[in-house]
Amino acid sequence: MGVPNDDAVLIQKGKKPGEPYVITVNCPDKTGLGCDICHIILEFGLYPTKGDVSTDGIWCYVVLWVTPHPSSPVVRWANLKERLLSVCPSCTTSLYWNPPSPRPSSSPIYLLKFCSRDRRGLLHDVTRVLDELELLIQRVKVTTTPDGCVLDLFFIRDNLELLHTKARQDETCEQLHAVLGESCISCELQLAGPQYDNLLGISSMSPAVAEELFRCTLSDMETRSQALSTDVRELKKASVITDNSLSPSHTLLQINCIDHKGFLYDIMRTLKDCNIQIAYGRFSTVQKGLRELDLFIRHQDGKKIVDPEKQDALCSRLRLEMLHPLRVVIANRGPDAELLVANPVELSGRGRPRVFYDVTFALKSLGICVFSAEIGRHSAADREWEVYRFLLDENCNFQLSNMVVRNQIVDKVRRILMGW
């Protein structure tokens, strides 16, 4: 297939301080390319302010104006370009070949195991180091021992595919030692073995918690921990409509919703999973906290979406993803309080980026320690979910048994996840 032309991706810095960077992708098209681009943009902690996309089904042209999100580390722009080039089909590929998006990388999984004395914010500090090193967290098992130490197992992939080298492994351990300081007791890095497969599932949860976490509709019961806080209740008014009168060959999809982190990715992954192609799209800067997006779309077979039932199903699915892209609840786990966060997994098997980073950041900002944590997969409502579970330490300034306090924690975590 060859290698994509280096000019397929261009990144231009704003002319003045504070102006957005402009990312241009100009390459052969493929199914799900827009989703792949948006996944990488979100993974690097970038926020798209406006954008244009057009394709004839053979060649694709995408322009995104992006700014780093305030909670994101320093962006490695050269690495971003390499990642974007990696998802662009080769310019030497036949123009009439439109392959499906690849499944998640088959690069090897490594086990990072370290032991340290526990302290507030430890889990996020480790996560931040891995994020800055472009090491993707696949699974986590965190346990606090009776003597106040923490044993962490991070199963990771390397975006740079250099973790097999001693230099890369030494860099990782040195960066962790620099952050953990004298609290670090040991740090080991090796290829993952059978223990990785044992962590693919998650601990059992009660039917009531599963219903709360994976339900297909939002509840209006404000006493439930999924309830939206007062100042973001407008989120429930997301508008998704279709119009077939403006184009002879495409259906116009109009989306209007409150802005949130990853909104463009949520739309693109949904259309990708529904086998919907985008011919042209545009979204502008936020107006009064709302996003407006116009997309001219069609079925994968090249036909318009004219069946009313299919139109309603697509609009309902998109509306749910705009209203509820991430699920956040606090439930009882024995005598303890457990924070659960879930997000749908793409049909390709790829999960949402930066969720673990954002949740640990929120808990650190609240001053809440994590007694144990795990990441796993769960099947419900005819789809697969990635589930993050955090057993919260009672030794904090919060009465975790208090429902008002729990809702405050849920609201804080959701705000960080949504970028509010």
Side-chain angles (χ1 to χ4, degrees):
M1 288 176 55
V3 179
N5 190 315
D6 195 55
D7 291 337
V9 176
L10 298 175
I11 301 178
Q12 297 174 293
K13 186 178 180 180
K15 296 180 180 179
K16 298 178 181 178
E19 287 189 345
Y21 285 71
V22 182
I23 298 176
T24 304
V25 180
N26 185 17
C27 67
D29 198 11
K30 70 172 184 179
T31 302
L33 178 60
C35 178
D36 294 342
I37 292 172
C38 291
H39 187 278
I40 294 172
I41 294 296
L42 181 58
E43 186 181 314
F44 273 76
L46 295 172
Y47 171 79
T49 59
K50 63 177 181 177
D52 284 280
V53 56
S54 62
T55 178
D56 58 2
I58 299 175
W59 201 268
C60 185
Y61 185 73
V62 178
V63 184
L64 295 174
W65 286 258
V66 302
T67 58
H69 198 274
S71 64
S72 303
V74 176
V75 178
R76 300 184 181 183
W77 295 100
N79 291 2
L80 171 64
K81 180 173 180 175
E82 291 299 319
R83 289 290 307 286
L84 290 171
L85 282 170
S86 71
V87 300
C88 292
S90 169
C91 296
T92 61
T93 304
S94 169
L95 292 180
Y96 295 97
W97 183 60
N98 190 25
S101 297
R103 294 187 65 83
S105 171
S106 59
S107 58
I109 296 175
Y110 286 80
L111 169 60
L112 172 65
K113 178 169 64 176
F114 68 89
C115 182
S116 68
R117 286 181 289 275
D118 197 12
R119 63 171 171 79
R120 187 171 296 175
L122 172 67
L123 190 55
H124 177 71
D125 291 342
V126 174
T127 302
R128 178 170 53 83
V129 171
L130 299 181
D131 183 78
E132 291 173 352
L133 290 171
E134 294 191 53
L135 297 171
L136 296 182
I137 300 172
Q138 303 295 304
R139 298 288 182 272
V140 170
K141 185 68 175 180
V142 176
T143 306
T144 304
T145 63
D147 59 356
C149 291
V150 175
L151 177 62
D152 289 0
L153 304 178
F154 281 82
F155 294 87
I156 56 179
R157 294 186 192 271
D158 186 5
N159 271 341
L160 305 183
E161 298 189 355
L162 296 173
L163 209 49
H164 63 282
T165 65
K166 186 176 184 301
R168 179 70 161 160
Q169 293 181 12
D170 289 345
E171 178 190 21
T172 301
C173 290
E174 288 170 3
Q175 292 282 358
L176 286 170
H177 274 289
V179 169
L180 300 179
E182 296 181 354
S183 65
C184 185
I185 299 173
S186 65
C187 179
E188 302 175 19
L189 191 56
Q190 63 191 49
L191 275 170
Q195 64 267 51
Y196 175 72
D197 295 329
N198 295 334
L199 290 179
L200 290 178
I202 59 173
S203 305
S204 61
M205 64 180 73
S206 71
V209 172
E211 192 277 334
E212 172 80 1
L213 202 59
F214 305 120
R215 68 179 186 271
C216 296
T217 58
L218 278 173
S219 170
D220 290 327
M221 296 174 60
E222 299 301 325
T223 57
R224 298 174 75 107
S225 57
Q226 283 280 25
L228 301 170
S229 54
T230 304
D231 61 333
V232 296
R233 207 145 317 145
E234 287 294 317
L235 184 66
K236 291 186 176 181
K237 297 182 180 179
S239 171
V240 183
I241 60 175
T242 57
D243 188 339
N244 277 311
S245 65
L246 298 178
S247 170
S249 55
H250 296 89
T251 297
L252 172 62
L253 177 68
Q254 293 181 304
I255 299 174
N256 183 284
C257 66
I258 278 189
D259 190 35
H260 69 264
K261 184 193 299 184
F263 86 99
L264 192 56
Y265 166 70
D266 289 325
I267 293 170
M268 293 298 180
R269 67 173 172 81
T270 303
L271 294 178
K272 174 186 174 183
D273 286 350
C274 293
N275 292 318
I276 300 297
Q277 295 179 337
I278 300 172
Y280 174 77
R282 169 173 291 181
F283 69 94
S284 55
T285 55
V286 175
Q287 300 291 335
K288 296 182 180 180
L290 296 176
R291 280 285 189 185
E292 291 186 358
L293 184 69
D294 292 333
L295 299 172
F296 284 89
I297 61 175
R298 60 185 179 186
H299 285 297
Q300 199 169 23
D301 60 7
K303 297 180 180 180
K304 297 172 66 172
I305 305 172
V306 295
D307 186 331
E309 290 187 1
K310 291 183 179 180
Q311 291 180 14
D312 291 343
L314 177 62
C315 290
S316 297
R317 174 76 176 271
L318 282 165
R319 192 176 297 111
L320 178 63
E321 300 302 335
M322 295 298 98
L323 295 174
H324 220 12
L326 294 138
R327 315 296 178 90
V328 186
V329 300
I330 288 184
N332 293 325
R333 187 172 179 180
D336 301 311
E338 183 179 43
L339 174 71
L340 298 99
V341 178
N343 58 267
V345 174
E346 295 177 30
L347 289 181
S348 67
R350 183 173 57 185
R352 188 187 189 89
R354 296 184 67 82
V355 175
F356 195 79
Y357 181 97
D358 285 341
V359 175
T360 56
F361 176 76
L363 294 176
K364 179 182 178 180
S365 65
L366 289 169
I368 297 177
C369 291
V370 176
F371 183 79
S372 67
E374 61 178 312
I375 304 175
R377 296 288 176 96
H378 181 83
S379 295
D382 297 325
R383 62 196 308 188
E384 189 177 27
W385 300 80
E386 199 157 49
V387 182
Y388 303 76
R389 304 182 70 167
F390 302 85
L391 201 62
L392 305 183
D393 194 330
E394 291 286 347
N395 297 319
C396 63
N397 297 325
F398 292 88
Q399 291 289 332
L400 297 179
S401 60
N402 185 296
M403 185 57 69
V404 174
V405 170
R406 290 188 174 196
N407 284 340
Q408 289 173 347
I409 295 173
V410 167
D411 188 57
K412 176 67 173 181
V413 171
R414 183 186 288 110
R415 286 176 180 275
I416 296 296
L417 286 167
M418 302 289 277
W420 292 333

